[in-house]
Amino acid sequence: MESEKKLYTLLVYSENIAGILNQITAVFTRRQVNIETLNVSPSSIRGIHKYTITTWSDLDQIVKITKQIEKKIDVVKADYYVDDEIFIHEIGLYKIDTSILLDNPDVSRTIRKHDARMMEVNPTYSTVLMAGLTEDVNDLFECLNQFNCVLQYSRSGRIAVTRSFEEPISAYLHEQEMKNNESNK
């Protein structure tokens, strides 16, 4: 019997080195696992980048993927999480037809109901921004799409921070520093 697939979020930390993203995504390709979202940005630690990757997987496979990624020479640390172990957010950007927005008050009510904000309104199109959980960002798209007003839509990859006090990599880097100090004595 196959294990239940869940949405996992991997947080991968590495130095900012050309080619590391390719090495990380190759692990998923070899295992034939699709990446749902991917976001890369500097972390709170100078010189360390953070890759936030979401994928649908079972526990056995996500453990193997995480271990393979962590074995990469330029990867400092990799961990996987389920949604209740991290704080998550996404951004949705919606370009909608201004004439439909002005002609149908339900469109603006829907935007307000979702706590989204109008970024720009001009005679041809309007842009709407929403920050929130994946399902909320998608729900606003579905609602606006029912009004046939969506001209363009883009959703960011997930961004996430753990519920721990500091970056999970901080303790690891501190340990490495202590080992280096011991070996230099």
Side-chain angles (χ1 to χ4, degrees), residues 40-72:
V40 182
S41 64
S43 74
S44 62
I45 299 166
R46 185 184 169 122
I48 301 291
H49 269 59
K50 182 179 189 176
Y51 301 76
T52 306
I53 305 164
T54 61
T55 187
W56 288 94
S57 181
D58 59 52
L59 181 59
D60 183 52
Q61 185 149 40
I62 202 68
V63 167
K64 289 175 184 172
I65 288 170
T66 304
K67 285 180 182 177
Q68 279 187 306
I69 289 172
E70 204 164 46
K71 285 180 187 175
K72 301 293 178 196

Side-chain angles (χ1 to χ4, degrees), residues 5-6 17 21 34 41 49 52 61 84 114 122 139 159:
K5 288 192 184 250
K6 290 183 186 176
I17 296 171
L21 179 58
N34 190 43
S41 64
H49 269 59
T52 306
Q61 185 149 40
D84 64 351
H114 283 82
N122 69 43
D139 185 57
I159 56 173

Side-chain angles (χ1 to χ4, degrees), residues 1-157:
M1 187 171 96
E2 190 176 309
S3 300
E4 180 187 342
K5 288 192 184 250
K6 290 183 186 176
L7 184 66
Y8 287 95
T9 301
L10 277 83
L11 299 181
V12 180
Y13 298 87
S14 78
E15 294 180 46
N16 188 16
I17 296 171
I20 189 66
L21 179 58
N22 188 45
Q23 292 178 43
I24 292 169
T25 58
V27 172
F28 289 88
T29 303
R30 279 193 301 276
R31 293 199 164 267
Q32 297 183 335
V33 174
N34 190 43
I35 292 173
E36 186 76 16
T37 66
L38 171 66
N39 185 300
V40 182
S41 64
S43 74
S44 62
I45 299 166
R46 185 184 169 122
I48 301 291
H49 269 59
K50 182 179 189 176
Y51 301 76
T52 306
I53 305 164
T54 61
T55 187
W56 288 94
S57 181
D58 59 52
L59 181 59
D60 183 52
Q61 185 149 40
I62 202 68
V63 167
K64 289 175 184 172
I65 288 170
T66 304
K67 285 180 182 177
Q68 279 187 306
I69 289 172
E70 204 164 46
K71 285 180 187 175
K72 301 293 178 196
I73 197 157
D74 296 319
V75 170
V76 180
K77 184 96 174 101
D79 287 304
Y80 62 89
Y81 301 89
V82 291
D83 285 359
D84 64 351
E85 297 173 319
I86 52 178
F87 293 106
I88 54 177
H89 232 57
E90 287 192 19
I91 305 269
L93 193 58
Y94 315 79
K95 185 176 185 180
I96 61 174
D97 187 319
T98 299
S99 64
I100 296 173
L101 172 68
L102 295 175
D103 290 344
N104 187 343
D106 288 335
V107 175
S108 59
R109 276 192 212 104
T110 298
I111 293 167
R112 283 193 307 277
K113 183 180 124 201
H114 283 82
D115 288 326
R117 63 181 242 223
M118 299 297 298
M119 300 296 292
E120 175 184 6
V121 178
N122 69 43
T124 54
Y125 66 85
S126 300
T127 53
V128 178
L129 175 75
M130 181 175 174
L133 299 175
T134 307
E135 47 277 3
D136 298 331
V137 172
N138 284 334
D139 185 57
L140 178 57
F141 170 73
E142 294 299 328
C143 290
L144 291 174
N145 209 30
Q146 290 177 3
F147 297 115
N148 292 319
C149 66
V150 178
L151 302 171
Q152 293 181 38
Y153 167 63
S154 185
R155 194 179 103 214
S156 71

